[in-house]
Amino acid sequence: MVRRGRECSVAEALEVVGERWSLLALREIMLGERRFNQIAENTGASRDILAARLRKLVDAGVLEKVQYDAHPPRHEYHPTEAGRALQPILLGLMAWGDKYVHQGEPPTLWRHACGEVLEPATVCAHCGEPANAPSLRPIRLGAVHA
């Protein structure tokens, strides 16, 4: 595959998870749903599209397919380490949608272990300060390919 534009991990990540049904399937799996029928019902995805997206996430190492019944063979989908690492991304996307897209009260809330409702924030792992536009500057950019 010939890439055009800037070499970028965002673009590469979007090749794996940047499709609506993939993200909604991951949402359901992060909410604890593991079985195909429940994921299909809760996302509204057609069965063939959902099957293709789940297969792609398994092939990419984001999910693992675990058999839970032999006759007939039935499987569940479990997040791998790479899949679990997407949870902060999904929480950030949810918070953005709650603030800038959704009208009214947020449809889903998470409680943090501290007891409070979670308000996701991206902070620097070294100093704990917010990582936002005024505090960030690139120090290396991917090459641009024509």
Side-chain angles (χ1 to χ4, degrees), residues 81-116:
E81 179 182 345
R84 290 186 297 276
L86 285 166
Q87 188 163 28
I89 308 307
L90 292 172
L91 289 170
L93 187 58
M94 179 190 75
W96 183 86
D98 289 344
K99 184 171 183 174
Y100 297 107
V101 180
H102 184 75
Q103 302 293 313
E105 293 293 313
T108 303
L109 295 174
W110 291 80
R111 184 168 312 283
H112 189 268
C114 73
E116 294 297 321

Coordinates of all heavy atoms in Angstrom, one line a residue, residues 81-116:
E81 N -4.5 -6.7 25.8 CA -3.8 -5.5 26.3 C -4.0 -4.3 25.4 O -4.3 -3.2 25.9 CB -2.3 -5.8 26.5 CG -1.6 -4.6 27.1 CD -0.1 -4.8 27.3 OE1 0.4 -6.0 27.2 OE2 0.6 -3.9 27.5
A82 N -3.8 -4.5 24.1 CA -4.0 -3.4 23.2 C -5.5 -2.9 23.2 O -5.7 -1.7 23.1 CB -3.6 -3.8 21.8
G83 N -6.4 -3.8 23.3 CA -7.8 -3.4 23.4 C -8.1 -2.6 24.7 O -8.8 -1.6 24.7
R84 N -7.6 -3.1 25.8 CA -7.8 -2.3 27.1 C -7.2 -1.0 27.1 O -7.7 0.0 27.7 CB -7.3 -3.2 28.3 CG -8.1 -4.4 28.6 CD -7.7 -5.1 29.8 NE -6.3 -5.7 29.7 CZ -6.0 -6.8 29.2 NH1 -6.9 -7.6 28.6 NH2 -4.7 -7.2 29.1
A85 N -6.1 -0.8 26.3 CA -5.4 0.5 26.2 C -6.2 1.5 25.4 O -6.0 2.7 25.5 CB -4.0 0.3 25.6
L86 N -7.3 1.0 24.7 CA -8.2 1.9 24.0 C -9.2 2.6 24.9 O -9.9 3.5 24.5 CB -8.8 1.2 22.8 CG -8.0 1.0 21.6 CD1 -8.6 0.0 20.7 CD2 -7.6 2.3 20.9
Q87 N -9.4 2.1 26.1 CA -10.5 2.6 27.0 C -10.3 4.1 27.2 O -11.3 4.8 27.1 CB -10.6 1.8 28.3 CG -11.8 2.3 29.1 CD -12.3 1.3 30.1 OE1 -11.4 0.6 30.7 NE2 -13.5 1.3 30.4
P88 N -9.2 4.6 27.6 CA -9.1 6.1 27.7 C -9.4 6.8 26.5 O -10.0 7.9 26.6 CB -7.6 6.3 28.1 CG -7.1 5.0 28.6 CD -7.9 4.0 27.9
I89 N -9.1 6.3 25.3 CA -9.5 6.9 24.1 C -11.0 7.0 23.9 O -11.6 8.0 23.6 CB -8.9 6.2 22.8 CG1 -7.4 6.0 23.0 CG2 -9.2 6.9 21.5 CD1 -6.6 7.2 23.3
L90 N -11.7 5.9 24.2 CA -13.1 5.8 24.1 C -13.8 6.7 25.1 O -14.8 7.4 24.8 CB -13.6 4.4 24.3 CG -13.3 3.4 23.1 CD1 -13.6 2.0 23.5 CD2 -13.9 3.8 21.9
L91 N -13.2 6.8 26.3 CA -13.7 7.7 27.4 C -13.6 9.2 26.9 O -14.4 10.0 27.2 CB -13.0 7.4 28.7 CG -13.4 6.1 29.4 CD1 -12.5 5.9 30.6 CD2 -14.9 6.1 29.8
G92 N -12.4 9.5 26.3 CA -12.2 10.8 25.9 C -13.2 11.2 24.7 O -13.7 12.3 24.7
L93 N -13.4 10.3 23.8 CA -14.3 10.5 22.7 C -15.8 10.7 23.3 O -16.5 11.6 22.8 CB -14.3 9.4 21.7 CG -15.1 9.5 20.5 CD1 -14.6 10.7 19.7 CD2 -14.9 8.2 19.6
M94 N -16.1 9.9 24.3 CA -17.4 10.0 24.9 C -17.5 11.4 25.6 O -18.6 12.1 25.4 CB -17.6 8.9 26.0 CG -18.9 9.0 26.7 SD -19.0 7.8 28.1 CE -18.0 8.7 29.3
A95 N -16.5 11.8 26.3 CA -16.6 13.1 27.0 C -16.7 14.3 26.0 O -17.5 15.2 26.2 CB -15.3 13.3 27.9
W96 N -16.0 14.1 24.8 CA -16.1 15.1 23.8 C -17.5 15.2 23.2 O -18.1 16.2 23.1 CB -15.1 14.9 22.7 CG -15.1 15.9 21.6 CD1 -14.4 17.1 21.6 CD2 -15.8 15.8 20.4 NE1 -14.7 17.7 20.4 CE2 -15.6 17.0 19.7 CE3 -16.7 14.9 19.8 CZ2 -16.1 17.3 18.4 CZ3 -17.3 15.2 18.6 CH2 -17.0 16.3 17.9
G97 N -18.1 14.0 23.0 CA -19.5 13.9 22.5 C -20.5 14.4 23.5 O -21.4 15.1 23.1
D98 N -20.3 14.2 24.8 CA -21.2 14.7 25.8 C -21.2 16.2 25.8 O -22.2 16.9 26.0 CB -20.7 14.2 27.2 CG -21.0 12.7 27.4 OD1 -21.8 12.1 26.7 OD2 -20.4 12.2 28.4
K99 N -20.0 16.8 25.6 CA -19.8 18.3 25.7 C -20.2 19.0 24.4 O -20.9 20.0 24.4 CB -18.4 18.6 26.1 CG -18.2 20.1 26.3 CD -16.8 20.4 26.8 CE -16.6 21.9 27.1 NZ -15.4 22.2 27.8
Y100 N -19.9 18.4 23.2 CA -20.0 19.2 22.0 C -21.1 18.7 21.0 O -21.4 19.4 20.1 CB -18.7 19.3 21.3 CG -17.6 20.0 22.1 CD1 -16.6 19.3 22.7 CD2 -17.7 21.4 22.2 CE1 -15.6 20.0 23.4 CE2 -16.8 22.1 23.0 CZ -15.7 21.4 23.6 OH -14.8 22.1 24.3
V101 N -21.6 17.5 21.3 CA -22.5 16.9 20.3 C -23.9 16.6 21.0 O -24.9 17.0 20.5 CB -21.9 15.6 19.6 CG1 -22.9 15.0 18.6 CG2 -20.6 15.9 19.0
H102 N -23.9 15.8 22.0 CA -25.1 15.3 22.7 C -25.8 16.5 23.4 O -25.2 17.3 24.0 CB -24.8 14.3 23.7 CG -26.0 13.7 24.3 ND1 -26.8 12.8 23.7 CD2 -26.5 13.9 25.6 CE1 -27.8 12.4 24.5 NE2 -27.7 13.1 25.6
Q103 N -27.1 16.5 23.2 CA -28.0 17.5 23.9 C -28.5 16.9 25.2 O -29.0 15.8 25.2 CB -29.2 17.9 22.9 CG -28.7 18.4 21.6 CD -28.1 19.8 21.7 OE1 -28.5 20.7 22.4 NE2 -26.9 19.9 21.0
G104 N -28.4 17.6 26.2 CA -28.9 17.2 27.5 C -27.9 16.4 28.3 O -26.7 16.5 28.1
E105 N -28.4 15.7 29.3 CA -27.5 15.0 30.2 C -26.8 13.9 29.5 O -27.4 13.2 28.6 CB -28.4 14.3 31.4 CG -29.0 15.4 32.3 CD -27.9 16.1 33.1 OE1 -27.0 15.4 33.7 OE2 -28.0 17.3 33.2
P106 N -25.6 13.6 29.9 CA -24.8 12.5 29.2 C -25.6 11.2 29.4 O -26.1 10.9 30.5 CB -23.5 12.4 30.0 CG -23.4 13.8 30.6 CD -24.8 14.3 30.9
P107 N -25.7 10.4 28.3 CA -26.4 9.1 28.4 C -25.7 8.1 29.2 O -26.3 7.2 29.8 CB -26.6 8.7 26.9 CG -25.5 9.4 26.2 CD -25.2 10.7 27.0
T108 N -24.4 8.1 29.3 CA -23.6 7.1 30.1 C -22.7 7.9 31.0 O -22.0 8.8 30.6 CB -22.8 6.2 29.1 OG1 -23.7 5.6 28.2 CG2 -22.0 5.2 29.9
L109 N -22.6 7.4 32.3 CA -21.7 7.9 33.2 C -20.9 6.8 33.8 O -21.4 5.6 33.9 CB -22.4 8.6 34.4 CG -23.2 9.9 34.0 CD1 -23.9 10.4 35.3 CD2 -22.2 11.0 33.5
W110 N -19.6 7.0 34.2 CA -18.8 6.0 34.8 C -18.4 6.5 36.2 O -18.2 7.7 36.4 CB -17.5 5.9 34.0 CG -17.6 5.2 32.7 CD1 -18.1 5.8 31.5 CD2 -17.4 3.9 32.3 NE1 -18.1 4.9 30.5 CE2 -17.6 3.7 31.0 CE3 -16.9 2.8 33.1 CZ2 -17.5 2.5 30.3 CZ3 -16.7 1.6 32.4 CH2 -17.0 1.5 31.0
R111 N -18.3 5.6 37.2 CA -17.9 6.0 38.5 C -16.4 5.5 38.6 O -16.1 4.4 38.4 CB -18.8 5.3 39.6 CG -18.3 5.8 41.0 CD -19.3 5.4 42.0 NE -20.7 5.7 41.7 CZ -21.3 7.0 41.8 NH1 -20.5 8.0 42.1 NH2 -22.5 7.1 41.5
H112 N -15.6 6.4 39.1 CA -14.2 6.0 39.3 C -14.0 5.3 40.7 O -14.9 5.4 41.5 CB -13.3 7.3 39.3 CG -11.9 7.1 39.3 ND1 -11.1 7.0 40.5 CD2 -11.0 6.9 38.3 CE1 -9.9 6.8 40.2 NE2 -9.8 6.7 38.9
A113 N -13.0 4.6 40.9 CA -12.7 3.9 42.1 C -12.7 4.9 43.3 O -13.0 4.4 44.5 CB -11.4 3.2 42.1
C114 N -12.5 6.2 43.1 CA -12.5 7.1 44.2 C -13.9 7.4 44.7 O -14.1 8.1 45.7 CB -11.8 8.4 43.8 SG -12.7 9.5 42.7
G115 N -14.9 7.0 43.9 CA -16.3 7.2 44.3 C -17.0 8.3 43.5 O -18.2 8.5 43.6
E116 N -16.2 9.1 42.8 CA -16.8 10.3 42.0 C -17.1 9.8 40.6 O -16.5 8.9 40.1 CB -15.8 11.4 42.0 CG -15.5 12.1 43.4 CD -16.8 12.7 44.0 OE1 -17.6 13.3 43.2 OE2 -17.0 12.5 45.2

